[in-house]
Amino acid sequence: MDAGLAAVLGAAVGAAGTGSAAVIAALLARSQGLLQVHAEHQRSIREPRKATYVAFAEAWYKQHSLITEAWARLEVAARLRGTPAYEEIASAVERMLDQAEETRNEIRHLGSAVQIEGPLWVSLAALKSQVEQLEHLHLLQEGVTALRSGTSPDLRPLDAAGLKAAATYEDFLTAVSDSLGDPVGRRRR
């Protein structure tokens, strides 16, 4: 093989190698750019969801705390019937009940926002926690009514409802954590 032909073949192989490397580098850069755009899109979706979930969780917990505190005072008021402290404690229970009822619309509104923002399993967990919390609130209302009518309220169902509501709240938090922790929004259970 003469030197001229070897030089031409060497230049052709070098050009082909350089061109191939350039094509591969361009494809890798494009792929990296698409991944970056996808990650940014997921983050832009995640942040509003997170804010909605946090607002719902805070409102739910505020109402649950009011119900739980009112329940504890209701128990004390039932034991103190006929004493000077009874009326003061019973009035405090009624004020807490009113405050808990006032948060109901806020929780309903935020629950709707969770349904709009979230995947189905998060929406269902939020809905379950709302239903159980409403049952807890309803039993507190019955307890206050019984107390004011002069009968001793049965507090066992109220206690059980509080535990059930708290368990559904924990399920909601777990669903939220799963949803926010998975960048493609698939359930990991």
Side-chain angles (χ1 to χ4, degrees), residues 145-158:
T145 301
L147 184 72
R148 285 302 191 178
S149 69
T151 61
S152 290
D154 183 7
L155 299 174
R156 289 171 298 172
L158 185 60

Side-chain angles (χ1 to χ4, degrees), residues 56 60 64 122 124-134 161-175:
F56 176 82
W60 189 98
H64 187 74
V122 175
L124 290 175
L127 186 60
K128 279 183 177 180
S129 69
Q130 285 178 280
V131 167
E132 294 304 329
Q133 185 86 306
L134 283 174
L163 293 172
K164 192 171 182 182
T168 60
Y169 177 70
E170 291 296 324
D171 291 344
F172 168 73
L173 294 178
T174 299

